[in-house]
Amino acid sequence: LSSLSSGAVAARNFMVQYGNLDCVIKLPERMLERTSINVSLLVFSKRENRKHIRMVDASSLGVKGRRFNTIAPDDIDRIVSAVYGFADWSGWAVEHTKNISIEEIINNGCVLSATRYFMTSDLPEIENAVRFGDVVQYLNRGASIGSKDLDDLVAHDEGACYYLSPGNIINGIISDDLTGMKDIPKGAPILEEGDLVMLRTGAPNKVAVFEGCFDKPVVASSNLFICRFDKMKVDPWFLKAFFESKDGERLLSLISVGTAIRSISRKALEGLSIPCPPLEKQQAIAKEYCDKMRE
């Protein structure tokens, strides 16, 4: 496999599709000393024709300590009850346990974070909802360039193009001080005016609209998604405003996965429900947003 990321995805797919995974337990935060990385326990049990995987959200059970948290013996009993379906303990297992179908997990990119499946019941209500993948004309990640190759490509005087990294998006605006590159990397997508640029890996979420005000082509980092829409149907400034709203930020957080580094998959982004009111209303909201932003 070409990367650690693709290897992790392949491993999750194998566990889910071949019936090896029985249960996922989301543990409280700070369970490990000297790190804040969140931890889940995976319970394995080979079963033919498995229809679902049990998700247990035990994130609220931690007993806070100075360096790390622990789980009380009574709470361990609660978790065991939820995992194995023993007598329910004060109704806790009913509220914190869900059986999620294999099909749903696969549709979510085989994400094994129990939090994802408990939060979906609190999704914001979207009016005029459409699927993101149904309105985007072009969706791709930026140029895949290793750090060493990028150093070699940097132009210290005149270059053939500019390079847009996540650090160049400041307060939702693309900086005009981009790094010059000697050559345009082979196969690298070139940004066009009106493209919506979104952070693919890392946090916090960053969204910007490319305004095409550069004198040379601009190539985006592979840590960014490039989204291009039919401008007769979607105003990119309207979508930028939505993704920066509380509802938009929540939706993006729901499809972000990972522990140390959060990331959004193309499939998850395509399946996201977004508002798509009539274009005139989008443009009115976009104008109001842009006026306030430039203020």
Side-chain angles (χ1 to χ4, degrees), residues 16 26 264:
V16 170
K26 172 73 172 178
I264 297 174

Side-chain angles (χ1 to χ4, degrees), residues 73-238:
D74 285 349
D75 288 337
I76 293 174
D77 289 341
R78 292 186 182 192
I79 296 171
V80 172
S81 170
V83 172
Y84 294 105
F86 298 151
D88 188 22
W89 223 64
S90 304
W92 182 87
V94 174
E95 297 180 7
H96 296 82
T97 306
K98 284 186 177 183
N99 288 333
I100 307 299
S101 70
I102 298 294
E103 181 182 7
E104 181 178 348
I105 293 173
I106 291 173
N107 289 338
N108 275 279
C110 287
V111 172
L112 298 181
S113 171
T115 308
R116 161 75 68 86
Y117 304 98
F118 282 89
M119 294 177 71
T120 51
S121 59
D122 299 324
L123 281 173
E125 215 172 290
I126 306 294
E127 294 184 10
N128 305 113
V130 298
R131 183 174 170 274
F132 189 91
D134 292 338
V135 295
V136 67
Q137 287 187 327
Y138 176 84
L139 174 59
N140 207 346
R141 58 191 290 183
S144 183
I145 308 171
S147 56
K148 184 180 183 303
D149 293 332
L150 184 60
D151 289 341
D152 294 338
L153 283 169
V154 170
H156 298 287
D157 40 30
E158 289 295 317
C161 67
Y162 295 111
Y163 182 73
L164 171 63
S165 71
N168 297 127
I169 300 175
I170 304 170
N171 295 326
I173 299 295
I174 295 176
S175 167
D176 56 6
D177 186 24
L178 302 184
T179 301
M181 300 179 72
K182 299 173 184 175
D183 302 298
I184 299 176
K186 186 178 180 180
I190 305 298
L191 288 172
E192 296 183 6
E193 184 175 359
D195 284 351
L196 189 74
V197 182
M198 302 177 62
L199 188 65
R200 189 181 67 84
T201 60
N205 295 320
K206 290 187 177 184
V207 183
V209 176
F210 183 70
E211 298 184 75
C213 53
F214 294 88
D215 59 346
K216 295 172 187 173
V218 176
V219 173
S221 159
S222 62
N223 288 332
L224 295 168
F225 276 126
I226 302 168
C227 313
R228 192 168 299 152
F229 305 91
D230 181 345
K231 294 176 185 176
M232 299 304 293
K233 295 180 180 178
V234 176
D235 188 310
W237 289 100
F238 165 78

Side-chain angles (χ1 to χ4, degrees), residues 254-269:
L254 281 172
I255 63 172
S256 298
V257 297
T259 50
I261 300 176
R262 306 288 288 176
S263 65
I264 297 174
S265 71
R266 175 173 173 167
K267 186 174 182 179
L269 183 58

